[in-house]
């Protein structure tokens, strides 16, 4: 039998081979070391390796017999022998080159061993490998044995595994002892076992107990598997790679099936360590066991593929006419051998799973549980016939309730891989039925946001497989109204699929696409008023959104009110947020003009003509008819779709690299102009149809904010179109009392005033608005006493409109204008004959005592807001006049307003934390701080070089001495009231947050009785409690922030600082950061940087502005920024405080 063919590489021969080489060409090559049969015995391989040392010994007899042959010794060689010699000489030459490359003198281990590592005679394609980091070289150098071989430079895990199999064949006890010591070394344990311990497997548990005691005595807290030390990044991959290669090499050599003691001995030691009470032992052994299981899964899959291929070959052979019975028998024998090996591997898998995984998947260490989850997911992917069954899938389902968020996320990740395959739906049906409620629960209520998002994405795959119930689908669809943006974005696709499913069912009900085409007829591209097929999609969208929103309707008003109170501005409703998420997923929403035409369609005519229901077009219109609630939802969707379209246009100006091209910019501008053109046409019609309802009116007014008003230059004829739009906005402002409508209308007017070309038209409409509101104010003041509650309500609404209008328009001249004599009422000359500012002051002084009337409270609050804006515009005008050297005729007198605020605070002393009293206190502090900002205002001429022209101590008085009379300190009696209000806010927050306060040192400060408004707080819902707690903290920080600003501005007694800082460390970080601005300045830094100083000055100005707006100082800023404010009286800080005060005066507070 010939041992090799010509294609086998030639080994390098020793120097002695040249003298004894045979003359005959029949035997020239060394015996092949590579086993072509993967089932060959180790013994035969090792025997061949022994013969490699002496080349002549094994073939001596054969050589002598060949040399004594008369055919080769006598006579000349014939022609055939010459050809054979030439052929073999050529093969020798071709194989000599690769053989010469193998001659190396280095000590590096190679894989030219009798036992090849896991190739089964087939060379696998080389994979791109990155340079891996080795552990600390000192650790590898100090180690010996298998650990040193694996972690030494130049050694591969495949080569080390093959060498270990060879040593195991020579002396299995020594090799097994070496392997166990390697495992112990991987745990960080320096103790070792000996051969006697290996030979006594029954004593393995007791030996491990002794090793655990020695390990505990060393007090080791870290172990290599989880070490973050330098060099250990690849430790885990090297260890797992070695054991994977070890099992694969044993399979390739056949020893895995012939010597069952190999895997049994490894299991004894590793399994015992996996149950150890010491975490390094348990974790390392578990990882090794899971790696061995993964390697066995790969072998099982390979055996299954090989057996199936052999079965197909046998069946093909049997179908032939001339059956080769010998080949069929050989193939059947190969099939039987493969089934026998598969049975052995299956037994090994069961043993390791039951001994290790079944216990460690619920280990106390979350890292071990995470390794188990990841491993099981890999096993299912590698060997689905074995592990893709309910008995193993349930382990993944149980970990869904793991307390560790990474473990839950990993389970969801592994399950998502399984649900992607449509061929495996049957295997997942029982599992999904059992754990579907847990899926839905995690999507709705999981504590970690990323787990919720991943679960929603997985549930989308489950829905595609048809494994979700309708109730589950509806429950997940409601998450489109969730408060978390990531959740809304994740569920948008799920929600869009629900809309598509409903649309398909409705289309089928109407007779399919052909039936709808007959009903709709031919669609005109630019005619958005005629019915279209996409109307049906919008109707389905509205129905799905309505159904999803029905459950939470009751909670919306309180949520919106609380959010608006906390933020100080109108917040987007949950419908707006849901629409923003939906518009990116639902088809046809890019054609927002069609949706606008659908909303403008008059459905009342369709409802009236029910007798013509037999008409296909009428039937289609009735099917698309919207309810009022659905119209509101689609208006929100329209708003979001327009904004999304404009955003896409702006994003399209640049490519992925951020480079803009002329074509892209022109295309984006064309889209924006087209959107503005169509919106300008739709907006007045939408206002006329939906302006009566406050909810829809606010949504439509919000559309004006994104309208590019420059488009009216192309449309207007004497500005009539734009003026008509402003008339519609003014009408909404004057007819509605809802604060949301007033806010949106005010913002729309402010947006219109931002365009200089349309400023003249806008200013005329604003002045007309002022005239109407002031006239209404005078008329209602006269009839208030006789009109009862209705007149009070009308007066409250009018004052609220004035406050909103004062926030966007200069109201100084309006508030100071005296009425004409003809317009003065004889009925109430003392009130109506006054200026609007004095009328509002009168309302504050005389309408504050009725604490039980909400309208009266709102009236006082709105009047306070309006007069606060009036004084801010006053300070701004004074500042402008001084800086421009314009003479000031009369200085304003804000003492009546201050007295009115003080009277409100005094009259409501028994009301506790009262909204009106807090508003009065905040306005009182802001008023004095606001006029204190005029202390350093100077003409523009002296600002050019103030340090050279005017002495610093006389600069303010020299520039404008009259302004100093406006700077007044807060009286002592008002200070006492302010401190009492702060004390009540402090106690209210401490009670609601369950915090303890420092004992009061001055009992005279807080002499007012405590309020019992919050006695029933415990009976409120949890969410409402949380909201009330946030509101209480907001009130506390707002009052404290305004008092801090007053102290810094020098208008409040500096002794109040001691009272403010009493509970500084007890009421949370927000309160602590507010009081941080009272700290003394830090010593100046030697290296002065001009840019840094400018940044600090600007930050200090923003801090003052934020607190004046009612932010309460909640924005966290470094204490160094206070230096520029607190040292304003010093020479070096004058200009910086000037800038701060100027920004405060120019600031406009929006409600």
């Amino acid at each position: 039998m010939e041992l090799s063919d010509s294609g086998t590489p030639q080994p390098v021969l020793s120097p002695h081979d040249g003298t004894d080489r045979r003359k005959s060409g029949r035997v020239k090559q060394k015996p092949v070391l590579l086993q072509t049969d993967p089932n060959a015995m180790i013994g035969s391989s090792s025997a061949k390796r022994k013969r490699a040392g002496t080349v002549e010994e094994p073939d001596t007899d054969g050589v002598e017999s060949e040399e004594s042959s008369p055919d080769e010794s006598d006579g000349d060689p014939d022609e055939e022998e010459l050809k054979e010699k030439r052929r073999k000489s050529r093969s020798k030459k071709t194989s000599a080159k690769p053989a010469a490359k193998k001659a190396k003198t280095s000590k590096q281990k190679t894989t030219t061993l009798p036992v090849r590592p896991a190739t089964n005679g087939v060379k696998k394609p080389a994979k791109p490998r990155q340079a891996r980091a080795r552990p600390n070289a000192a650790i590898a150098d100090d180690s010996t044995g298998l650990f040193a071989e694996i972690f030494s430079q130049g050694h591969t895990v495949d080569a080390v595994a093959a060498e270990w199999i060879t040593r195991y064949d020579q002396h299995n006890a020594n090799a097994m002892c070496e392997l166990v010591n390697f495992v112990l070394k991987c745990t960080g344990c320096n103790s070792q076992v000996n051969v006697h311990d290996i030979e006594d497997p029954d004593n393995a548990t007791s030996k491990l107990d002794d090793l655990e005691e020695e390990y505990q005595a060393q007090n080791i807290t870290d172990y290599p598997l989880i070490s973050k030390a330098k060099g250990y990044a690849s430790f885990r991959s090297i260890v797992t790679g070695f054991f994977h290669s070890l099992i694969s090499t044993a399979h390739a050599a056949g020893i895995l099936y012939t010597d069952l003691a190999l895997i049994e001995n490894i299991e004894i030691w590793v399994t015992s360590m996996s149950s150890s009470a010491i975490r390094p032992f348990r974790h390392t052994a578990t990882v090794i066991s899971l790696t061995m299981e993964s390697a066995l899964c790969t072998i099982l899959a390979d055996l299954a593929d090989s057996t199936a291929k052999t079965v197909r070959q046998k069946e093909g052979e049997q179908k032939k006419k001339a059956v080769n019975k010998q080949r069929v028998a050989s193939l059947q024998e190969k099939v039987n051998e493969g089934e026998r090996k598969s049975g052995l591997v299956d037994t090994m898998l069961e043993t390791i799973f039951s001994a290790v995984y079944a216990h460690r998947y619920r280990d106390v260490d979350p890292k071990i549980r995470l390794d188990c989850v990841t491993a099981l997911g890999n096993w299912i992917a590698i060997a689905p016939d074995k592990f893709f069954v309910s008995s193993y899938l349930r382990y993944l389902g149980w970990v869904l309730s793991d307390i560790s968020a990474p473990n839950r996320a990993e389970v969801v990740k592994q399950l998502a891989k399984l649900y992607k395959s449509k061929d495996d739906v049957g295997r997942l049906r029982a599992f999904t039925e059992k754990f579907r409620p847990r899926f839905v629960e995690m999507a709705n209520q999981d504590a970690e946001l990323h787990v919720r998002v991943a679960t929603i994405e997985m549930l989308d795959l489950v829905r595609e497989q048809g494994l979700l119930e309708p109730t589950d689908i509806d429950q997940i669809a409601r998450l489109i109204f969730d408060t978390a943006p990531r959740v809304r974005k994740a569920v948008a696709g799920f929600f869009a699929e629900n809309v598509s499913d409903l649309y398909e069912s409705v289309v089928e009900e109407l007779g399919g696409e052909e039936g709808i085409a007959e009903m709709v007829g031919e669609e005109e591209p630019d005619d958005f008023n005629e019915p279209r097929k996409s109307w049906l999609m919008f109707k389905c969208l509205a129905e799905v959104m309505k159904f999803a929103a029905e459950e939470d309707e009751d909670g919306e008003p309180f949520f919106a009110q609380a959010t608006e109170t906390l933020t100080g501005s109108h917040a987007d409703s949950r419908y707006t947020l849901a629409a923003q998420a939906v518009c990116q997923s639902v088809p046809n929403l890019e054609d927002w003009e069609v949706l606008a035409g659908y909303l403008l369609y008059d459905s009342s005519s369709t409802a009236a003509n029910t007798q013509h229901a037999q008409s296909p077009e009428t039937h289609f219109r009735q099917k698309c008819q919207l309810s009022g609630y659905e119209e509101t939802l689609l208006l929100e969707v329209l708003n979001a779709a327009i904004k999304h379209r404009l955003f896409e246009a702006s994003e399209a100006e640049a490519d992925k690299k951020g480079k803009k091209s002329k074509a892209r910019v022109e295309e984006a501008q064309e889209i924006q102009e087209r959107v503005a053109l169509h919106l300008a046409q739709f907006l007045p019609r939408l206002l006329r149809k939906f302006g009566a309802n406050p909810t829809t009116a606010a949504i439509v007014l919000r559309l004006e904010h994104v309208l590019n008003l420059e488009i009216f230059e192309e449309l207007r004829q004497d500005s009539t179109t734009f003026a008509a739009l402003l008339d519609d906005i003014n009408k909404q402002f004057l007819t509605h009392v809802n604060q949301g409508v007033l806010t949106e209308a005010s913002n729309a007017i402010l947006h219109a005033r931002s365009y200089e070309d349309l400023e003249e038209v806008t200013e005329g409409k604003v002045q007309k608005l002022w005239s109407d509101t002031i006239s209404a104010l005078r008329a209602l003041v006269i009839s208030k006493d006789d009109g009862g509650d209705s007149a009070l309500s009308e007066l409250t609404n009018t004052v609220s409109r004035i406050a909103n209008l004062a926030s966007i328009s200069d109201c100084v001249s309006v508030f100071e204008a005296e009425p004409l004599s003809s317009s003065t009422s004889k009925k109430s000359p003392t009130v109506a004959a006054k200026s609007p500012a004095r009328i509002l002051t009168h309302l504050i002084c005389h309408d504050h005592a009725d604490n039980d009337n909400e309208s009266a409270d709102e009236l006082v609050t709105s009047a306070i807001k309006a007069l606060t804006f009036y004084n801010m515009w006053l300070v701004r005008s004074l500042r402008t006049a001084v800086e421009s050297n314009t003479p000031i005729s009369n200085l304003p007198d804000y003492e009546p307003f201050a007295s009115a605020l003080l009277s409100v605070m005094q009259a409501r002393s028994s009301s506790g934390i009262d909204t009106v009293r807090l508003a009065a206190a905040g306005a009182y502090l802001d008023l004095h701080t606001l006029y204190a900002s005029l202390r350093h205002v100077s003409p523009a001429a002296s600002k050019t070089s103030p340090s050279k022209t005017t002495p610093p101590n006389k600069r303010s008085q020299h520039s404008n001495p009259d302004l100093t009379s406006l700077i007044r300190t807060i009286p002592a009696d008002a200070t006492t009231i302010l401190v009492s209000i702060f004390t009540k806010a402090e106690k209210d927050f401490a009670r609601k947050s369950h915090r303890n306060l420092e004992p009061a040192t001055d009992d005279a400060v807080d002499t007012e009785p405590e309020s019992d408004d919050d006695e029933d707080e415990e009976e409120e819902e949890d969410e409402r409690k949380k909201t009330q707690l946030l509101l209480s903290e907001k009130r506390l920080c707002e009052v404290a922030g305004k008092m801090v600003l007053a102290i810094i501005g020098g208008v409040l007694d500096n002794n109040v600082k001691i009272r403010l800082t009493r509970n500084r460390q007890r009421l949370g970080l927000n309160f602590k950061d507010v009081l941080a601005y009272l700290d003394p300045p830090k010593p100046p830094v030697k290296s002065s940087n001009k840019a840094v100083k400018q940044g600090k000055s600007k930050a200090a100005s923003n801090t003052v502005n934020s607190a004046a707006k009612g932010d309460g100082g909640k924005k966290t800023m470094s204490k160094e920024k206070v230096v520029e404010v607190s040292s304003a009286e010093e020479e070096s800080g004058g200009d910086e405080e000037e800038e701060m005060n100027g920004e405060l005066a120019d600031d406009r507070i929006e409600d």
Side-chain angles (χ1 to χ4, degrees), residues 756-1033:
E756 296 182 358
D757 296 337
L758 304 173
E759 184 177 2
E760 182 179 353
V761 179
T762 306
E763 190 61 30
K765 296 298 180 181
V766 171
Q767 293 302 323
K768 179 66 168 56
L769 205 58
W770 272 121
S771 176
D772 293 342
T773 53
I774 296 301
S775 299
L777 174 65
R778 296 185 186 279
L780 290 170
V781 167
I782 296 173
S783 61
K784 180 177 74 73
D785 296 333
D786 300 334
D789 294 338
S790 60
L792 178 62
S793 178
E794 287 293 332
L795 179 62
T796 301
N797 297 332
T798 302
V799 174
S800 178
R801 294 188 187 99
I802 292 175
N804 280 273
L805 197 56
S807 66
I808 63 171
S809 176
D810 190 348
C811 58
V812 174
S813 59
V814 177
F815 273 43
E816 293 178 352
E818 297 291 341
L820 298 177
S821 58
S822 59
S823 62
T824 306
S825 173
K826 300 179 181 179
K827 212 172 191 182
S828 181
T830 57
V831 178
K834 299 178 180 178
S835 64
R838 297 175 64 186
I839 293 175
L840 294 175
T841 305
H842 174 79
L843 293 177
I844 296 174
C845 293
H846 294 80
D847 292 334
H848 57 72
D850 191 0
N851 299 341
D852 297 331
N853 195 326
E854 294 182 0
S855 297
D857 291 349
E858 188 176 352
L859 173 63
V860 175
T861 304
S862 299
I864 291 174
K865 288 181 181 179
L867 288 176
T868 302
F869 290 131
Y870 162 67
N871 282 275
M872 294 181 71
W873 288 109
L874 267 177
V875 172
R876 181 177 181 271
S877 62
L878 290 173
R879 181 185 180 89
T880 304
V882 171
E883 291 177 350
S884 61
N885 293 322
T886 302
I888 302 174
S889 58
N890 296 316
L891 292 180
D893 183 15
Y894 63 89
E895 184 60 31
F897 180 39
S899 301
L901 294 175
L902 188 60
S903 65
V904 171
M905 291 187 287
Q906 292 173 344
R908 293 175 176 262
S909 59
S910 61
S911 60
I913 305 300
D914 180 74
T915 305
V916 178
R917 195 183 190 206
L918 287 173
Y924 190 83
L925 290 166
D926 286 340
L927 186 65
H928 288 80
T929 306
L930 183 65
Y931 282 95
S933 65
L934 297 173
R935 179 180 289 114
H936 298 283
V937 175
S938 57
S942 63
K943 277 183 141 185
T944 56
S945 56
S947 60
K948 297 181 179 180
T949 58
T950 307
N953 57 347
K954 298 182 179 180
R955 189 179 305 160
S956 302
Q957 298 176 359
H958 178 76
S959 60
N960 200 328
D962 294 335
L963 296 181
T964 56
S965 61
L966 297 176
I967 304 173
R968 305 167 187 172
T969 58
I970 298 176
D973 56 342
T975 302
T976 303
I977 297 175
L978 292 172
V979 172
S980 68
I981 294 175
F982 167 77
T983 303
K984 287 184 179 296
E986 188 181 51
K987 291 182 178 180
D988 180 71
F989 176 64
R991 181 173 64 256
K992 292 180 178 179
S993 61
H994 306 288
R995 301 173 186 265
N996 296 323
L997 299 177
E998 289 286 347
T1001 57
D1002 187 5
D1003 298 335
V1005 173
D1006 184 17
T1007 59
E1008 300 178 1
E1010 291 292 333
S1011 174
D1012 56 354
D1013 293 342
D1014 299 328
E1015 290 181 356
D1016 300 331
E1017 181 185 357
E1018 297 179 357
E1019 300 178 1
E1020 298 177 354
E1021 300 176 358
D1022 293 338
E1023 292 298 328
R1024 191 175 295 269
K1025 284 183 179 181
K1026 293 179 182 178
T1027 305
Q1028 293 296 335
L1029 177 62
L1030 291 175
L1031 290 173
S1032 178
E1033 184 180 16

Side-chain angles (χ1 to χ4, degrees), residues 534-672:
S534 55
W535 283 18
L536 203 59
M537 174 65 76
F538 298 144
K539 171 64 176 179
C540 295
L541 172 61
E543 289 183 357
V544 175
M545 289 188 69
K546 177 182 177 181
F547 182 80
E550 283 178 352
E551 187 175 292
D552 301 326
E553 278 185 353
D554 296 337
E556 169 66 14
F558 178 78
F559 171 78
Q561 180 182 3
T563 306
E564 182 176 352
T565 305
L566 286 173
T567 59
S569 61
H570 179 71
D572 290 336
S573 67
R574 61 194 184 105
Y575 304 110
T576 304
L577 299 176
Q580 293 173 359
V582 164
C583 67
Q584 304 180 19
S585 303
V586 176
N588 301 324
L589 284 182
E590 62 273 7
D591 300 329
W592 64 269
E593 297 93 342
V594 180
L595 177 57
Y598 178 40
L599 287 168
L600 288 172
Y601 170 70
D602 187 9
S603 59
S604 60
S605 59
T606 303
N609 298 330
T610 54
Q611 64 273 16
H612 302 290
Q614 66 275 10
S615 172
E617 182 179 355
T618 305
H619 181 61
F620 180 81
R621 291 175 183 269
Q622 288 179 348
K623 198 69 178 179
C624 296
Q625 189 172 355
L626 294 171
S627 64
Y629 189 62
E630 291 172 345
E631 287 178 341
T632 303
L633 295 175
L634 288 184
L635 279 173
E636 291 284 7
V637 174
L638 175 64
N639 204 319
I642 294 175
K643 292 180 180 178
H644 183 65
R645 184 60 176 160
L646 293 174
F647 176 77
E648 286 182 339
S650 62
E651 288 290 319
E653 293 182 358
D655 55 11
K656 295 181 179 179
K657 296 182 179 180
K659 296 181 179 179
K660 294 184 179 181
S661 62
K662 184 177 180 180
R664 284 177 172 270
V665 173
E666 291 179 354
E667 182 181 0
Q669 291 179 352
E670 182 181 355
I671 294 175
Q672 294 173 355

Side-chain angles (χ1 to χ4, degrees), residues 109-351:
K109 293 184 181 292
T110 63
T111 56
T112 57
L113 299 170
V115 180
R116 289 292 191 181
T119 59
N120 284 337
V122 181
K123 185 177 181 181
K124 295 184 178 181
K127 297 181 180 180
R129 301 178 63 183
Q130 298 179 354
R132 58 183 182 182
R134 295 288 182 180
N136 195 330
I139 298 178
D141 294 341
D142 295 340
S143 304
T144 57
L146 193 58
F147 189 89
E149 293 180 12
I150 292 176
F151 291 97
S152 296
Q153 294 290 342
H155 291 188
T156 63
V157 291
D158 294 339
V160 176
E163 181 65 24
W164 185 87
I165 291 292
T166 304
R167 294 200 297 269
Y168 179 83
D169 182 65
Q170 295 173 355
H171 197 292
N172 53 17
N174 290 338
M176 187 59 64
C177 179
E178 193 177 9
L179 183 65
V180 174
N181 287 331
F182 168 71
V183 176
L184 291 172
K185 186 67 176 177
C186 290
T187 64
C189 178
N190 295 323
S191 303
Q192 296 183 350
V193 298
N194 51 39
V195 178
H196 300 289
D197 299 325
I198 299 299
E199 293 175 348
D200 186 12
D202 297 335
N203 195 37
T205 305
S206 60
K207 179 61 178 178
L208 286 175
D209 292 339
D210 298 339
L211 294 175
E212 291 175 5
E213 294 179 0
E214 297 178 7
Y215 188 85
Q216 285 181 334
Q218 299 176 6
N219 293 327
I220 299 177
T221 58
D222 195 11
Y223 53 99
L225 198 63
I226 64 170
S227 177
K228 301 296 183 181
K230 183 179 180 180
Y232 281 90
S234 61
F235 182 88
R236 182 192 184 102
S237 61
I238 295 174
V239 173
T240 55
F242 168 73
F243 276 95
H244 195 284
S245 181
L246 181 65
I247 300 300
S248 301
T249 305
H251 156 68
I255 194 173
L256 185 66
Y257 313 104
T258 59
D259 190 357
L260 299 179
L262 169 65
I263 196 70
E264 290 177 357
N265 285 323
I266 297 177
E267 288 176 359
I268 289 174
W269 289 93
V270 175
T271 302
S272 300
M273 292 177 64
S274 67
S275 302
S276 173
I278 299 180
R279 184 168 300 179
F281 280 37
R282 189 172 70 254
H283 191 184
T284 306
T286 301
V287 170
I288 292 174
S289 300
L290 299 177
T291 303
M292 294 170 58
E293 187 92 345
S294 299
L296 291 173
C297 286
T298 305
I299 294 172
L300 184 64
D302 293 341
L303 289 174
D305 294 340
S306 178
T307 303
K309 183 178 180 180
T310 306
V311 169
R312 290 193 297 270
Q313 292 177 352
K314 187 190 73 170
E315 293 175 353
E317 185 68 28
Q318 289 175 345
K319 292 179 181 179
K320 293 181 180 179
K321 294 182 179 180
V323 179
N324 189 342
K325 296 183 179 180
Q326 184 176 1
R327 176 171 172 77
V328 171
S330 175
L331 291 174
Q332 181 61 42
E333 183 179 354
K334 191 175 181 181
V335 170
N336 296 336
E337 181 65 16
E339 291 177 350
R340 184 185 70 85
K341 292 180 179 179
S342 297
L344 292 175
V345 173
D346 186 85
T347 303
M348 298 174 191
L349 289 172
E350 288 288 348
T351 302

